[in-house]
Amino acid sequence: RAAHVPLFPGYVFVFGDSSQRQMALESNRLAHVLPVHDGEQLRYDLAQIGQLIACEAPLATYERLAVGERVRVRAGVFEGLEGTVIRRHGKSELAVSVNCLQQGALLEIADYLLETIES
């Protein structure tokens, strides 16, 4: 029997106009609303994901993290750790630097555990 966990934890998808989005924010159950410039594209994308879920396909999430991007680990034992995404041996890794030594350590970690650090 497969375990079921949220595919996109922390996200709630609300389709509505600006007043409905404002009501959702005022409920104190949402922290932030992400702007969606193409609602129909989002609806189509989520329908495709829904189809995969309905078929009980084995799924994993990914983010489009760019090499060189500053990121933070968002969950797990390494939560809060910051570093830079690098690509090595065809895999994304987190480079955690000791700047004064110009050295560091590499950690192989799943992309879904990383979030971009806003500059």
Side-chain angles (χ1 to χ4, degrees), residues 38-55:
D38 187 346
E40 288 307 310
Q41 182 65 51
L42 176 59
R43 191 180 307 263
Y44 174 79
D45 293 346
L46 291 175
Q48 290 194 110
I49 296 294
Q51 184 178 353
L52 292 172
I53 292 169
C55 293

Side-chain angles (χ1 to χ4, degrees), residues 50-100:
Q51 184 178 353
L52 292 172
I53 292 169
C55 293
E56 298 185 11
L59 302 175
T61 60
Y62 76 94
E63 281 192 35
R64 292 182 181 166
L65 298 174
V67 171
E69 193 166 8
R70 292 279 306 158
V71 294
R72 178 181 303 114
V73 179
R74 68 170 122 204
V77 67
F78 301 114
E79 182 175 358
L81 191 73
E82 295 182 5
T84 305
V85 174
I86 68 162
R87 177 132 348 250
R88 201 170 72 109
H89 306 295
K91 297 179 182 176
S92 291
E93 293 183 322
L94 179 65
V96 180
S97 299
V98 180
N99 292 314
C100 71

